[in-house]
Amino acid sequence: MILIRRYPFLSLSLVAHAALLGVLYLGVYRVEVEQQRIQRSREQPWVEAGKRLMERARLEKRVHDMARIKSQLESGTADKGDDVQFSAQPRTPEELLEEARELSRKIDELERDARAQQLAKLLHIPKQKALEKVAQTRKPEEPAAGAEPGKPVDAAARIEQLEAKARDALARRGRQLEQQQDGTRVAVSESRSGSAARQGGRGRPPGSAPGSGIPGGLSISSVLGAIDAFMHSDRAGRGIEGNIVAGHHDDVDRTIVRIPEVPAGAKVRGTGRIIGPGGPYADRVYVNRWYLIGPFERKHGDAWLVPDPPEQAVVLDAAYRGKDGRLLKWEYVDSANYPLVPPQPAEEAVYYGYTELMVDKEQDLTIWVGANDDAQLWLNDRLVWRGRHVAKALFYRDVDDTGTPHGRDYNFSEGKRVVHLKQGRNKLFFKLSNGLGSLFFSLVLTK
């Protein structure tokens, strides 16, 4: 109060300057907010285009899976081509729906033929007669769910329904084969008498058998294995325990396993993603070339519970909103350093990586995986590794110890899996979750 009375003009000046600073701060803040709004509006077309690309990819995948189911029912294998082929002029949803309807019709025919073949065997009647009996019991086609007369059909919804119907057909086929494999008598409603059904006896042993519907040269167990592999290969199944195909998993791997030491003079390191001619001559290959995207906002520990868009389909031209609202696009990284550190490292975030491993011949290889913090790895859409940020104190201590040769030897590995690679192109996809501090991902291959 004394200062105010003694220096009234100074006090007024201080108040005026404080008010001016407040106005300037609000002005700068409003300008920054407006710039962010303008930037986001400019980026929004990329995000919307990414959504359209994702939807197209999902539809293409559904129709392609229907084609694989048809192949499975015909020949016992769905592996004639497990990749969706995108053209420079993508098909419209209506064109995809037309193909899905045709595939559904053919799958229905295959199911009827299999039932007739089984019925002919059980009742000792000609197959044509059995087909007639099957046709008599056929239920009329139900209208599409949600379809209203006079309104256009929702192509995406209808394709989803037809794919679900095709998967049901494949599941029924699997149950029928399990009954045959277990020697269970097949109940047939079309049987004219109980004695006729009993004449069918027990299923034949695993193997190609007349009337069993198994393609020549294939066993029931091999066909069941192919059905199981297909039913668990969908990206929506990621994270399911049954989708793990190698080794024993609880929730985590609790032991640290490193590539065995070899004399320095005999050690040959290489980088890349080609095994065979054109690839490096090495006894260990660090996979260092990836398409990467991130960071996505995700609290550490919750990363496995909520999938981000890249888990639904890998669309390298798509863009998404990520952590703090930033625009995310896939970025090709050829890392000269080991281990792999994604661009834009952030805490409490999730990253994804995609690459293709080229192999000159079908073979088994050992993969050595390490990550800070948590990682999952899929090979050809099947989960082959899942680590968690638990019981890894020893691993992190070795990573931080600059006196060890692990970094030099491509050996930041917390575990290994033996996996089977097919000849040609093999797809690799990882999900990396980071909590606090640094992050990295390491994938090394050995014979």
Side-chain angles (χ1 to χ4, degrees):
M1 294 295 293
I2 297 175
L3 288 175
I4 293 176
R5 293 195 192 100
R6 185 172 297 179
Y7 305 106
F9 295 106
L10 177 60
S11 301
L12 289 174
S13 176
L14 289 173
V15 171
H17 279 81
L20 179 60
L21 288 174
V23 170
L24 289 174
Y25 174 78
L26 289 175
V28 170
Y29 174 75
R30 287 177 178 174
V31 169
E32 289 180 352
V33 170
E34 180 63 16
Q35 288 176 340
Q36 291 175 2
R37 186 192 67 79
I38 294 173
Q39 181 66 23
R40 288 175 68 89
S41 66
R42 288 173 179 172
E43 294 172 347
Q44 193 59 28
W46 287 92
V47 177
E48 295 300 325
K51 291 179 180 178
R52 291 191 294 271
L53 286 169
M54 285 289 295
E55 183 58 31
R56 191 192 86 199
R58 291 192 186 101
L59 292 182
E60 291 271 5
K61 180 68 164 56
R62 291 187 187 279
V63 175
H64 186 72
D65 280 352
M66 290 183 67
R68 295 183 67 197
I69 290 172
K70 171 180 168 290
S71 174
Q72 177 75 72
L73 294 172
E74 283 178 328
S75 63
T77 175
D79 292 329
K80 290 186 175 181
D82 62 351
D83 299 317
V84 181
Q85 301 297 324
F86 294 102
S87 62
Q89 296 181 336
R91 291 175 294 173
T92 65
E94 290 71 26
E95 291 171 334
L96 290 170
L97 176 58
E98 188 63 29
E99 182 181 350
R101 283 171 170 161
E102 180 62 17
L103 286 168
S104 183
R105 183 186 66 79
K106 291 179 179 178
I107 288 171
D108 287 344
E109 289 179 357
L110 289 168
E111 272 209 293
R112 288 196 297 271
D113 187 77
R115 289 179 62 198
Q117 186 174 353
Q118 196 172 64
L119 186 62
K121 180 187 175 184
L122 290 171
L123 301 182
H124 301 287
I125 60 176
K127 184 178 177 180
Q128 185 57 42
K129 193 74 173 177
L131 281 169
E132 294 173 2
K133 286 185 170 295
V134 170
Q136 291 172 3
T137 61
R138 181 185 176 190
K139 295 181 180 179
E141 183 77 16
E142 296 182 1
E148 297 182 22
K151 288 190 176 182
V153 176
D154 184 338
R158 184 56 179 153
I159 289 173
E160 182 178 357
Q161 293 166 3
L162 291 174
E163 188 217 10
K165 178 184 172 185
R167 285 182 176 271
D168 288 343
L170 187 60
R172 283 192 296 272
R173 179 63 171 150
R175 290 192 294 269
Q176 291 168 0
L177 292 177
E178 285 174 350
Q179 289 177 333
Q180 292 184 36
Q181 187 179 46
D182 295 339
T184 305
R185 188 179 294 110
V186 180
V188 182
S189 60
E190 296 88 343
S191 173
R192 289 175 296 186
S193 67
S195 61
R198 284 192 295 272
Q199 291 173 6
R202 301 170 78 76
R204 298 177 67 94
S208 179
S212 67
I214 300 295
L218 294 177
S219 67
I220 290 180
S221 59
S222 67
V223 175
L224 282 172
I227 291 175
D228 181 69
F230 174 81
M231 296 296 280
H232 288 95
S233 66
D234 188 62
R235 288 195 178 278
R238 288 187 167 173
I240 295 175
E241 189 78 24
N243 214 19
I244 301 174
V245 296
H248 173 73
H249 296 251
D250 293 318
D251 226 5
V252 298
D253 288 296
R254 298 185 178 276
T255 57
I256 307 302
V257 181
R258 300 203 183 279
I259 305 174
E261 290 294 328
V262 297
K267 190 179 303 175
V268 183
R269 299 177 303 162
T271 62
R273 51 189 183 86
I274 299 176
I275 307 298
Y281 177 79
D283 56 26
R284 64 189 63 186
V285 176
Y286 160 44
V287 183
N288 67 326
R289 298 172 187 173
W290 297 84
Y291 284 95
L292 300 175
I293 191 167
F296 289 89
E297 182 75 56
R298 193 72 66 237
K299 189 72 175 176
H300 190 230
D302 298 338
W304 310 137
L305 304 178
V306 182
D308 295 296
E311 288 186 72
Q312 306 303 313
V314 176
V315 183
L316 298 179
D317 291 332
Y320 313 100
R321 286 291 175 199
K323 188 178 179 68
D324 302 325
R326 70 187 77 181
L327 184 70
L328 300 181
K329 298 180 183 180
W330 288 94
E331 179 179 350
Y332 182 72
V333 174
D334 184 350
S335 178
N337 299 317
Y338 175 84
L340 177 73
V341 178
Q344 304 184 55
E347 297 180 338
E348 303 291 4
V350 170
Y351 298 80
Y352 295 92
Y354 174 80
T355 195
E356 294 171 355
L357 190 65
M358 305 303 296
V359 181
D360 63 334
K361 61 182 179 181
E362 184 179 5
Q363 60 187 286
D364 289 341
L365 289 178
T366 300
I367 59 171
W368 304 80
V369 186
N372 186 355
D373 290 322
D374 309 337
Q376 290 176 297
L377 177 68
W378 289 263
L379 171 64
N380 293 327
D381 292 334
R382 301 205 70 189
L383 185 64
V384 294
W385 170 264
R386 180 177 62 197
R388 294 289 296 276
H389 180 50
V390 213
K392 288 173 67 170
L394 177 61
F395 173 69
Y396 290 140
R397 188 187 68 187
D398 283 353
V399 168
D400 294 335
D401 186 355
T402 57
T404 68
H406 302 320
R408 180 199 67 195
D409 297 342
Y410 297 162
N411 209 359
F412 284 151
S413 302
E414 56 186 283
K416 68 176 181 178
R417 292 286 180 271
V418 176
V419 298
H420 185 74
L421 301 175
K422 62 185 180 181
Q423 182 180 9
R425 186 163 65 108
N426 295 267
K427 299 179 293 182
L428 288 168
F429 179 90
F430 75 75
K431 179 177 184 177
L432 176 64
S433 172
N434 187 43
L436 302 178
S438 60
L439 74 161
F440 71 79
F441 179 76
S442 169
L443 177 62
V444 177
L445 310 173
T446 66
K447 287 284 190 179

PDB file of all heavy atoms in Angstrom, residues 390-404:
ATOM      1  N   VAL A 390       7.346 -58.096 -18.619  1.00  0.00           N
ATOM      2  CA  VAL A 390       7.354 -58.715 -17.299  1.00  0.00           C
ATOM      3  C   VAL A 390       8.576 -59.630 -17.260  1.00  0.00           C
ATOM      4  O   VAL A 390       8.956 -60.200 -18.263  1.00  0.00           O
ATOM      5  CB  VAL A 390       6.106 -59.591 -17.062  1.00  0.00           C
ATOM      6  CG1 VAL A 390       5.710 -59.549 -15.602  1.00  0.00           C
ATOM      7  CG2 VAL A 390       4.955 -59.206 -17.930  1.00  0.00           C
ATOM      8  N   ALA A 391       9.150 -59.787 -16.093  1.00  0.00           N
ATOM      9  CA  ALA A 391      10.279 -60.704 -15.907  1.00  0.00           C
ATOM     10  C   ALA A 391      11.380 -60.444 -16.929  1.00  0.00           C
ATOM     11  O   ALA A 391      12.022 -61.373 -17.416  1.00  0.00           O
ATOM     12  CB  ALA A 391       9.800 -62.153 -16.018  1.00  0.00           C
ATOM     13  N   LYS A 392      11.600 -59.170 -17.305  1.00  0.00           N
ATOM     14  CA  LYS A 392      12.615 -58.854 -18.302  1.00  0.00           C
ATOM     15  C   LYS A 392      13.741 -57.994 -17.718  1.00  0.00           C
ATOM     16  O   LYS A 392      14.493 -57.373 -18.459  1.00  0.00           O
ATOM     17  CB  LYS A 392      11.979 -58.137 -19.496  1.00  0.00           C
ATOM     18  CG  LYS A 392      11.135 -59.073 -20.351  1.00  0.00           C
ATOM     19  CD  LYS A 392      10.374 -58.330 -21.439  1.00  0.00           C
ATOM     20  CE  LYS A 392      11.266 -57.736 -22.483  1.00  0.00           C
ATOM     21  NZ  LYS A 392      10.509 -57.216 -23.649  1.00  0.00           N
ATOM     22  N   ALA A 393      13.840 -57.959 -16.395  1.00  0.00           N
ATOM     23  CA  ALA A 393      14.853 -57.111 -15.766  1.00  0.00           C
ATOM     24  C   ALA A 393      16.253 -57.504 -16.225  1.00  0.00           C
ATOM     25  O   ALA A 393      17.096 -56.644 -16.530  1.00  0.00           O
ATOM     26  CB  ALA A 393      14.748 -57.200 -14.247  1.00  0.00           C
ATOM     27  N   LEU A 394      16.528 -58.814 -16.322  1.00  0.00           N
ATOM     28  CA  LEU A 394      17.847 -59.286 -16.758  1.00  0.00           C
ATOM     29  C   LEU A 394      18.110 -58.871 -18.206  1.00  0.00           C
ATOM     30  O   LEU A 394      19.208 -58.434 -18.554  1.00  0.00           O
ATOM     31  CB  LEU A 394      17.933 -60.805 -16.616  1.00  0.00           C
ATOM     32  CG  LEU A 394      19.238 -61.459 -17.110  1.00  0.00           C
ATOM     33  CD1 LEU A 394      20.425 -60.925 -16.314  1.00  0.00           C
ATOM     34  CD2 LEU A 394      19.156 -62.980 -16.996  1.00  0.00           C
ATOM     35  N   PHE A 395      17.097 -58.973 -19.032  1.00  0.00           N
ATOM     36  CA  PHE A 395      17.237 -58.589 -20.439  1.00  0.00           C
ATOM     37  C   PHE A 395      17.555 -57.103 -20.557  1.00  0.00           C
ATOM     38  O   PHE A 395      18.484 -56.706 -21.273  1.00  0.00           O
ATOM     39  CB  PHE A 395      15.941 -58.923 -21.184  1.00  0.00           C
ATOM     40  CG  PHE A 395      15.907 -58.434 -22.601  1.00  0.00           C
ATOM     41  CD1 PHE A 395      16.719 -59.003 -23.577  1.00  0.00           C
ATOM     42  CD2 PHE A 395      15.062 -57.402 -22.967  1.00  0.00           C
ATOM     43  CE1 PHE A 395      16.678 -58.552 -24.890  1.00  0.00           C
ATOM     44  CE2 PHE A 395      15.018 -56.941 -24.270  1.00  0.00           C
ATOM     45  CZ  PHE A 395      15.829 -57.518 -25.240  1.00  0.00           C
ATOM     46  N   TYR A 396      16.814 -56.259 -19.854  1.00  0.00           N
ATOM     47  CA  TYR A 396      17.057 -54.821 -19.920  1.00  0.00           C
ATOM     48  C   TYR A 396      18.437 -54.469 -19.364  1.00  0.00           C
ATOM     49  O   TYR A 396      19.103 -53.558 -19.870  1.00  0.00           O
ATOM     50  CB  TYR A 396      15.970 -54.061 -19.151  1.00  0.00           C
ATOM     51  CG  TYR A 396      14.621 -54.097 -19.812  1.00  0.00           C
ATOM     52  CD1 TYR A 396      13.458 -54.256 -19.062  1.00  0.00           C
ATOM     53  CD2 TYR A 396      14.480 -53.965 -21.186  1.00  0.00           C
ATOM     54  CE1 TYR A 396      12.211 -54.283 -19.664  1.00  0.00           C
ATOM     55  CE2 TYR A 396      13.248 -53.995 -21.800  1.00  0.00           C
ATOM     56  CZ  TYR A 396      12.114 -54.156 -21.037  1.00  0.00           C
ATOM     57  OH  TYR A 396      10.886 -54.188 -21.631  1.00  0.00           O
ATOM     58  N   ARG A 397      18.868 -55.181 -18.337  1.00  0.00           N
ATOM     59  CA  ARG A 397      20.191 -54.910 -17.764  1.00  0.00           C
ATOM     60  C   ARG A 397      21.280 -55.188 -18.793  1.00  0.00           C
ATOM     61  O   ARG A 397      22.227 -54.414 -18.946  1.00  0.00           O
ATOM     62  CB  ARG A 397      20.403 -55.767 -16.523  1.00  0.00           C
ATOM     63  CG  ARG A 397      21.669 -55.418 -15.734  1.00  0.00           C
ATOM     64  CD  ARG A 397      21.907 -56.410 -14.628  1.00  0.00           C
ATOM     65  NE  ARG A 397      22.269 -57.732 -15.161  1.00  0.00           N
ATOM     66  CZ  ARG A 397      22.398 -58.821 -14.422  1.00  0.00           C
ATOM     67  NH1 ARG A 397      22.144 -58.775 -13.125  1.00  0.00           N
ATOM     68  NH2 ARG A 397      22.734 -59.965 -14.977  1.00  0.00           N
ATOM     69  N   ASP A 398      21.148 -56.305 -19.536  1.00  0.00           N
ATOM     70  CA  ASP A 398      22.137 -56.625 -20.565  1.00  0.00           C
ATOM     71  C   ASP A 398      22.113 -55.621 -21.706  1.00  0.00           C
ATOM     72  O   ASP A 398      23.153 -55.281 -22.280  1.00  0.00           O
ATOM     73  CB  ASP A 398      21.874 -58.026 -21.110  1.00  0.00           C
ATOM     74  CG  ASP A 398      22.345 -59.112 -20.154  1.00  0.00           C
ATOM     75  OD1 ASP A 398      22.980 -58.760 -19.150  1.00  0.00           O
ATOM     76  OD2 ASP A 398      22.070 -60.295 -20.413  1.00  0.00           O
ATOM     77  N   VAL A 399      20.919 -55.152 -22.051  1.00  0.00           N
ATOM     78  CA  VAL A 399      20.802 -54.159 -23.123  1.00  0.00           C
ATOM     79  C   VAL A 399      21.527 -52.870 -22.739  1.00  0.00           C
ATOM     80  O   VAL A 399      22.202 -52.239 -23.561  1.00  0.00           O
ATOM     81  CB  VAL A 399      19.317 -53.881 -23.439  1.00  0.00           C
ATOM     82  CG1 VAL A 399      19.179 -52.651 -24.332  1.00  0.00           C
ATOM     83  CG2 VAL A 399      18.679 -55.095 -24.111  1.00  0.00           C
ATOM     84  N   ASP A 400      21.391 -52.488 -21.482  1.00  0.00           N
ATOM     85  CA  ASP A 400      22.003 -51.234 -21.019  1.00  0.00           C
ATOM     86  C   ASP A 400      23.494 -51.371 -20.731  1.00  0.00           C
ATOM     87  O   ASP A 400      24.194 -50.362 -20.581  1.00  0.00           O
ATOM     88  CB  ASP A 400      21.289 -50.734 -19.759  1.00  0.00           C
ATOM     89  CG  ASP A 400      19.852 -50.334 -20.034  1.00  0.00           C
ATOM     90  OD1 ASP A 400      19.557 -49.984 -21.191  1.00  0.00           O
ATOM     91  OD2 ASP A 400      19.027 -50.396 -19.099  1.00  0.00           O
ATOM     92  N   ASP A 401      23.994 -52.606 -20.650  1.00  0.00           N
ATOM     93  CA  ASP A 401      25.403 -52.837 -20.335  1.00  0.00           C
ATOM     94  C   ASP A 401      26.241 -52.707 -21.604  1.00  0.00           C
ATOM     95  O   ASP A 401      26.215 -53.579 -22.481  1.00  0.00           O
ATOM     96  CB  ASP A 401      25.570 -54.236 -19.727  1.00  0.00           C
ATOM     97  CG  ASP A 401      26.999 -54.482 -19.243  1.00  0.00           C
ATOM     98  OD1 ASP A 401      27.867 -53.612 -19.461  1.00  0.00           O
ATOM     99  OD2 ASP A 401      27.246 -55.558 -18.652  1.00  0.00           O
ATOM    100  N   THR A 402      26.975 -51.623 -21.718  1.00  0.00           N
ATOM    101  CA  THR A 402      27.777 -51.387 -22.928  1.00  0.00           C
ATOM    102  C   THR A 402      28.995 -52.301 -23.007  1.00  0.00           C
ATOM    103  O   THR A 402      29.667 -52.351 -24.035  1.00  0.00           O
ATOM    104  CB  THR A 402      28.239 -49.917 -22.970  1.00  0.00           C
ATOM    105  OG1 THR A 402      28.977 -49.627 -21.773  1.00  0.00           O
ATOM    106  CG2 THR A 402      27.045 -48.983 -23.067  1.00  0.00           C
ATOM    107  N   GLY A 403      29.276 -53.022 -21.944  1.00  0.00           N
ATOM    108  CA  GLY A 403      30.434 -53.908 -21.951  1.00  0.00           C
ATOM    109  C   GLY A 403      30.174 -55.264 -22.581  1.00  0.00           C
ATOM    110  O   GLY A 403      31.112 -56.049 -22.772  1.00  0.00           O
ATOM    111  N   THR A 404      28.913 -55.576 -22.933  1.00  0.00           N
ATOM    112  CA  THR A 404      28.596 -56.872 -23.546  1.00  0.00           C
ATOM    113  C   THR A 404      28.692 -56.755 -25.068  1.00  0.00           C
ATOM    114  O   THR A 404      28.555 -55.663 -25.630  1.00  0.00           O
ATOM    115  CB  THR A 404      27.183 -57.328 -23.170  1.00  0.00           C
ATOM    116  OG1 THR A 404      26.234 -56.451 -23.785  1.00  0.00           O
ATOM    117  CG2 THR A 404      26.991 -57.305 -21.656  1.00  0.00           C
TER     118      THR A 404
END
